[in-house]
Amino acid sequence: MNLDYTSYNGLIQTVIQDKRTDKILRVGFANKYCVSQMETEKQVYLLDGDDPILLTGGEYNKPVAVDTIIAAEDGRSIVVRALPDGSTTGTDAFLGDKNIEDLAFLSHLQDFIERRKQEMPEGSYTTKLFTKGVNKISQKVGEEAVETIIEATNGTKEQFLYESADLIYHLIVLLTEKKLRIEDLARELRARHKE
């Protein structure tokens, strides 16, 4: 990766972007040390004043993992495609604007469901599903599919939307149980799509 550190007094403009949702997490600067650390440690480093800091986020303040680093053609800026474990700003907003699009919320929802599977909090409906295993989760997907069909053919638009949401939720739980992501489903659909 050819980077030009001369334009901004040894700094590179740096955009940190969530790989799953395309949400912009942070905008800042990195120096050679930060970029080197990101390449070797696969964790996001940015400058805080003159000091390189490890970018952290999420409920447990975990380091933000680097997926890929993309350099601009002129070498004066980079986009770091990252895999955060939770919010890096404490909110879902960046510069005051709502930044998770409706479709990207499905990825956010799966992140939440994955945390449920890891933590298995008592009293959670999702925990109960994971405890019962793949057969029960698959059965729930089937039940929700039937309820969605019934509402599509004989129900109201509002009830059809409600049952469709239940179906998608249970499908994401099943995807999580099978160690797949909603993005994997999107890639499969994209691969099939012919314009």
Side-chain angles (χ1 to χ4, degrees), residues 83-114:
L83 297 165
D85 185 4
S87 171
T88 59
T89 60
T91 66
D92 288 329
F94 175 71
L95 300 179
D97 294 325
K98 216 47 180 147
N99 207 13
I100 291 184
E101 298 294 331
D102 291 339
L103 288 176
F105 175 75
L106 295 176
S107 179
H108 177 75
L109 176 62
Q110 187 162 15
D111 290 344
F112 174 81
I113 290 169
E114 285 178 347

Side-chain angles (χ1 to χ4, degrees), residues 116-172:
R116 281 286 197 250
K117 185 170 171 55
Q118 290 169 0
E119 297 166 3
M120 299 293 272
E122 197 172 318
S124 160
Y125 173 72
T126 309
T127 297
K128 290 177 191 171
L129 285 172
F130 284 127
T131 301
K132 292 181 179 177
V134 70
N135 290 344
K136 181 63 175 175
I137 298 168
S138 298
Q139 179 184 341
K140 283 301 293 177
V141 171
E143 289 171 9
E144 297 301 338
V146 169
E147 291 172 9
T148 301
I149 292 166
I150 290 169
E151 291 301 330
T153 56
N154 296 314
T156 65
K157 186 176 179 180
E158 291 76 19
Q159 275 305 113
F160 170 66
L161 184 60
Y162 182 87
E163 294 300 342
S164 296
D166 280 353
L167 173 60
I168 297 300
Y169 172 80
H170 287 90
L171 179 60
I172 293 174

Side-chain angles (χ1 to χ4, degrees), residues 44-64:
V44 175
Y45 280 81
L46 284 176
L47 288 177
D48 182 13
D50 292 331
D51 300 321
I53 60 162
L54 187 63
L55 181 63
T56 60
E59 186 179 355
Y60 302 107
N61 233 18
K62 295 180 182 174
V64 177

